[in-house]
Amino acid sequence: MTGVWVLLGTLVLGAVAGLVLRARNGRISAARTHDLPEVVAAALDPAASVTLVQISTTFCAPCRHTRVILSNLAEKTPGLRHVDLDVTEQPEVAHALSVLRTPTTLALASDGHELLRVGGVPKAADLLEALKPYLDLSNSGMHPKE
């Protein structure tokens, strides 16, 4: 009988952990202050208002989905650029940026200042809405729902 209770408790804990992780996926969070590693600083586009730096790893399936979302968003949005950094062989980069999971997307200003970050697969409309203060979308005809 003890084994049944242990199994039931394990299933409940697993379900709760899954629900918490699902709720946090794609959530936009506040920026953090840190020194940019050289590889990240070199990836910044000085001509862009915002550079989306996607932190990925080689075998990350959600990273591929994130890459499609962010590259499409950058193609459609003036002043927005997307860079994908694979940190599989460079864990010190993820550590320096306080990245605990992949994909993580950092929105960086042209001077390297972090504007916001997204853990998991971002929702394009929510991300564009959060970036509106940093992008000039008034003359472009872009709307967050596109």
Side-chain angles (χ1 to χ4, degrees):
M1 189 65 177
T2 303
V4 172
W5 286 112
V6 169
L7 177 63
L8 185 61
T10 303
L11 290 174
V12 169
L13 286 174
V16 168
L19 290 172
V20 168
L21 287 175
R22 178 183 240 172
R24 293 184 62 186
N25 189 40
R27 182 186 298 167
I28 297 171
S29 61
R32 299 180 187 179
T33 304
H34 45 71
D35 292 328
L36 287 182
E38 182 59 36
V39 66
V40 177
L44 291 176
D45 183 350
S49 301
V50 177
T51 300
L52 298 174
V53 179
Q54 176 185 340
I55 307 298
S56 303
T57 52
T58 303
F59 300 106
C60 168
C63 294
R64 291 187 283 277
H65 186 64
T66 298
R67 187 177 306 115
V68 170
I69 291 170
L70 296 180
S71 61
N72 287 339
L73 192 61
E75 286 174 11
K76 295 177 182 178
T77 309
L80 186 64
R81 298 293 176 263
H82 170 243
V83 176
D84 187 5
L85 289 179
D86 187 332
V87 296
T88 304
E89 302 296 325
Q90 306 173 69
E92 66 279 359
V93 173
H95 180 72
L97 296 171
S98 302
V99 171
L100 300 177
R101 67 184 280 200
T102 57
T104 293
T105 304
L106 307 175
L108 301 173
S110 58
D111 64 358
H113 175 78
E114 184 176 325
L115 306 171
L116 57 89
R117 65 173 51 205
V118 181
V121 179
K123 295 168 187 72
D126 293 345
L127 182 57
L128 192 57
E129 184 66 32
L131 291 173
K132 272 175 106 174
Y134 310 105
L135 298 169
D136 182 20
L137 301 178
S138 57
N139 298 328
S140 68
M142 287 290 299
H143 300 286
K145 302 298 181 209
E146 289 185 8

